[in-house]
Amino acid sequence: MPEPSNSPLRVLFCIGVNQNFFDLPTGQGKSVWDGFTTMLTQLHELPGVTVLGTIDDDQHMVGPSDSWPWTCYVLADVVDQPTVAAACNLFRTVQVGEHRLWRYMKIEARLGRPLPEPEAVR
């Protein structure tokens, strides 16, 4: 059965760490982490975004991730595509020292809809 048109989008935000992060002198990565946590806070507070879960694979993946597999993921229900774009734009606006977060990390969003729950799960 198709989802009603007013249903939120199910969005998987895929986040990678760029080589610029790994080129930082030892001890200077904390400012990037601080910027990343600021971005996560702003994402949670963005009207129309309901974060459903996160996963961070930094213990099993070392080095830059320019594409799949990504370093971390955020699964969310988002009201519409402009709000998805606003969430991605946080990487352009969150300040990290004299740069923006996008210098050290990248984001891509996959948009879809939830799969139906099987009867046995309901």
Side-chain angles (χ1 to χ4, degrees):
M1 175 185 302
E3 292 288 316
S5 60
N6 61 349
S7 294
L9 299 167
R10 181 65 47 95
V11 181
L12 182 63
F13 294 101
C14 308
I15 300 167
V17 178
N18 296 332
Q19 183 62 45
N20 288 336
F21 173 79
F22 295 99
D23 291 341
L24 287 170
T26 301
Q28 290 188 11
K30 184 178 181 325
S31 64
V32 177
W33 177 251
D34 291 344
F36 181 71
T37 57
T38 296
M39 181 282 302
L40 281 177
T41 299
Q42 291 180 15
L43 178 64
H44 276 83
E45 294 173 347
L46 197 60
V49 174
T50 301
V51 174
L52 303 173
T54 62
I55 183 171
D56 185 2
D57 195 20
D58 70 330
Q59 292 185 337
H60 303 104
M61 179 180 190
V62 178
S65 54
D66 294 324
S67 65
W68 187 90
W70 299 96
T71 304
C72 60
Y73 303 85
V74 175
L75 182 64
D77 280 342
V78 182
V79 67
D80 55 22
Q81 187 281 328
T83 305
V84 174
C88 291
N89 196 54
L90 293 172
F91 281 70
R92 293 184 184 104
T93 60
V94 170
Q95 195 73 26
V96 175
E98 62 187 41
H99 302 287
R100 306 282 188 216
L101 185 58
W102 67 269
R103 178 179 179 91
Y104 304 104
M105 306 179 94
K106 66 183 289 181
I107 187 169
E108 291 186 14
R110 300 289 177 261
L111 285 67
R113 62 179 183 257
L115 290 168
E117 290 185 22
E119 287 292 325
V121 177
R122 290 184 202 163

